[in-house]
Amino acid sequence: MSEQANPYAAFDHHAPNHRKNAEALWAELRALPALAHSERHGGFYVVTRHSDLRAAAAQHAIYSSAFGVALPSEDRTPHIPEEVDPPLQREYRKILDPFLARGVVDQFEPIVARHALALLDSFADEREVDFVARFSRPFPVLASIESFGFPPGDGEQLLGLVTGLIANRGNEAGKRASQDLTAYILNLLAAKAARPDADIVTAIAQGSVAGRALTQAEQVSMTRLLLFGGFTTVDLALSCAAYLFAKQPALLRRLHEAPDLMATAVEEIVRIASPATYLARTVTCPAQLGGAALQQGDRILLCFAAANRDPEMFEHPLDVQLDRNPNPHVAFGFGTHRCVGSMFAKLEMRVALAELARRYERFELVDEDTLAWGQGETQGFAQLPLKLHPRRTATR
Ligand code: HEM
């Protein structure tokens, strides 16, 4: 179809500031009788309705993750378990799940809280900060590595590697940071194999699937995804929370008045933020989805953020309702690949947001016009300069 006949031929989630203007586009795509098709990146269909996204994510045999979930495909080894289909994917999950299950993650709360407090203390006397650089980016890195069994003293080194890697994706500096991170992980896995601890990195170092030990490449991939799965996503969810608090001061006031709303508030912020905004699947056999006839080899792009705003599923979907319940959002995915770290992510957010609410009366955007939403698979703010207005008496 020509670009003229197909108004969505140029749809590109990698276009600069795509997300800034996406609400109207997502509404339009959800209302179409059949999935929109883009001609970009080799061609793909865009899945925006909640029901279609759930159907695709649930049928992993038809909509495979094994050809990569990035679109366009990236030249790299597969991310494990995200880019593996069942039954093998479920075996990898058996290694990770016991450490990250509901209730189990509560053991990490003292570590998570210590890092949140230390970072917030570091700018307690400042009235203007880049919230991303000073809090939302370093916090999940420092909180998760100590929780997962990395030496806590390596926090700054890992933060540097990860920040360098994210900032330099695709160039030489990024490649070097990636190699350094792999070398670091290999050393750590060897140390854990020699001196096992009761932690998740040891479980990976000693792990097995399908009756054989994990290869070194599998161990590295799992360890890397464990880190990267939770760094950018939690960063973007927290910076989105701070942005929403600045734009709608009543939200933070609500948390001051009713701190027990924190659990539903976290779900609602993750729904609106949908930091894992777009992920792809590859069609393995002829199939019907959302009014489109798909062929083997077609690629589909799941838009979690659009599904999370589907008026068929959410009343007043663009309103941020901190007490929204039920909240059947798909921000953590759906089906077999549903996020293994969701309980840990929610713990981090609960702790961070409670402490922010305890300390601050309100936030103010320094300059909304200069704020840029990221593009690609994970979308949110790379910077968020904020004016901070502390509470006169921070409560406990
Ligand atoms: C707000 C924070 C987070 C969001 C929004 C998020 C979102 C997601 C989504 C949408 C998926 C499904 C991917 C797919 O269907 O292809 C996923 C999977 C995954 N997430 Fe998260 N995530 C978050 C935090 C974390 C954390 C903290 C960790 C690590 C502890 C983590 C590790 C993973 C891993 C390893 C997978 C792959 C699971 C599998 O394929 O079986 N995530 N996440």
Side-chain angles (χ1 to χ4, degrees):
M1 223 190 280
S2 71
E3 288 215 2
Q4 223 172 10
N6 173 10
Y8 307 107
F11 175 98
D12 188 357
H13 55 302
H14 290 280
N17 255 335
H18 166 84
R19 174 111 184 222
K20 201 167 188 168
N21 312 307
E23 296 291 355
L25 178 60
W26 290 335
E28 200 176 305
L29 296 184
R30 275 192 309 262
L32 293 174
L35 303 183
H37 187 264
S38 167
E39 310 289 326
R40 294 290 155 99
H41 310 303
F44 60 92
Y45 291 88
V46 192
V47 181
T48 50
R49 281 186 284 266
H50 193 275
S51 56
D52 294 338
L53 188 144
R54 275 195 317 187
Q59 299 178 78
H60 47 78
I62 302 176
Y63 305 101
S64 170
S65 299
F67 302 87
V69 297
L71 200 157
S73 300
E74 293 171 349
D75 181 21
R76 52 166 174 75
T77 52
H79 290 163
I80 298 174
E82 194 180 15
E83 296 177 323
V84 179
D85 289 331
L88 189 54
Q89 176 258 357
R90 295 213 173 104
E91 299 234 5
Y92 293 120
R93 284 288 293 250
K94 278 190 209 149
I95 298 169
L96 303 176
D97 285 341
F99 293 88
L100 294 165
R102 185 190 300 274
V104 178
V105 295
D106 294 346
Q107 66 178 300
F108 301 128
E109 185 158 349
I111 297 174
V112 170
R114 176 157 43 76
H115 287 291
L117 266 59
L119 284 168
L120 292 173
D121 284 349
S122 75
F123 56 85
D125 297 330
E126 297 176 50
R127 292 295 162 261
E128 192 175 313
V129 295
D130 174 3
F131 184 78
V132 171
R134 299 295 292 279
F135 186 73
S136 64
R137 183 174 298 146
F139 167 60
V141 176
L142 301 171
S144 36
I145 63 163
E146 189 176 339
S147 301
F148 299 163
F150 290 70
D154 291 358
E156 290 303 321
Q157 183 194 354
L158 274 160
L159 187 57
L161 279 177
V162 168
T163 311
L165 216 162
I166 292 170
N168 295 295
R169 203 162 259 157
N171 68 25
E172 275 311 307
K175 236 184 248 171
R176 268 196 311 278
S178 177
Q179 285 160 357
D180 290 349
L181 182 63
T182 298
Y184 174 93
I185 289 174
L186 280 170
N187 274 336
L188 179 63
L189 287 164
K192 294 284 179 183
R195 285 181 305 284
D197 286 317
D199 60 40
I200 198 161
V201 182
T202 300
I204 293 173
Q206 298 181 328
S208 59
V209 288
R212 59 162 180 85
L214 290 177
T215 64
Q216 208 172 55
E218 288 173 316
Q219 293 178 11
V220 171
S221 174
M222 286 178 81
T223 310
R224 282 180 75 115
L225 183 60
L226 196 64
L227 297 179
F228 283 99
F231 287 177
T232 317
T233 47
V234 174
D235 166 11
L236 298 179
L238 285 173
S239 53
C240 183
Y243 171 80
L244 291 169
F245 292 163
K247 291 279 288 179
Q248 302 177 46
L251 294 174
L252 193 55
R253 279 202 301 274
R254 187 94 206 271
L255 286 182
H256 292 150
E257 286 153 14
D260 54 334
L261 280 185
M262 195 52 79
T264 53
V266 164
E267 298 289 352
E268 180 68 345
I269 285 163
V270 178
R271 177 183 78 86
I272 292 288
S274 292
T277 310
Y278 289 103
L279 291 168
R281 299 289 193 263
T282 303
V283 180
T284 60
C285 60
Q288 288 285 334
L289 183 69
L294 306 176
Q295 301 305 319
Q296 182 178 356
D298 282 347
R299 302 213 76 197
I300 62 171
L301 187 64
L302 308 180
C303 182
F304 296 92
N308 282 336
R309 288 150 170 73
D310 190 338
E312 292 290 316
M313 189 52 74
F314 303 97
E315 222 171 273
H316 307 297
L318 298 185
D319 288 359
V320 185
Q321 299 173 1
L322 297 181
D323 56 356
R324 192 183 287 275
N325 191 14
N327 190 344
H329 68 78
V330 286
F332 289 114
F334 188 79
T336 193
H337 290 283
R338 194 181 181 285
C339 182
V340 69
S342 64
M343 289 298 157
F344 187 74
K346 287 192 262 190
L347 167 68
E348 290 178 297
M349 291 188 61
R350 231 171 37 235
V351 167
L353 296 183
E355 194 57 25
L356 284 168
R358 193 183 74 77
R359 291 178 186 225
Y360 292 104
E361 193 62 43
R362 65 188 174 90
F363 301 112
E364 208 180 319
L365 297 174
V366 172
D367 182 359
E368 169 130 43
D369 294 340
T370 60
L371 271 188
W373 280 87
Q375 61 260 19
E377 278 77 28
T378 42
Q379 300 187 351
F381 299 112
Q383 287 126 25
L384 186 64
L386 280 184
K387 286 186 188 153
L388 309 172
H389 299 274
R391 295 181 86 172
R392 250 171 247 131
T393 42
T395 50
R396 253 290 159 217

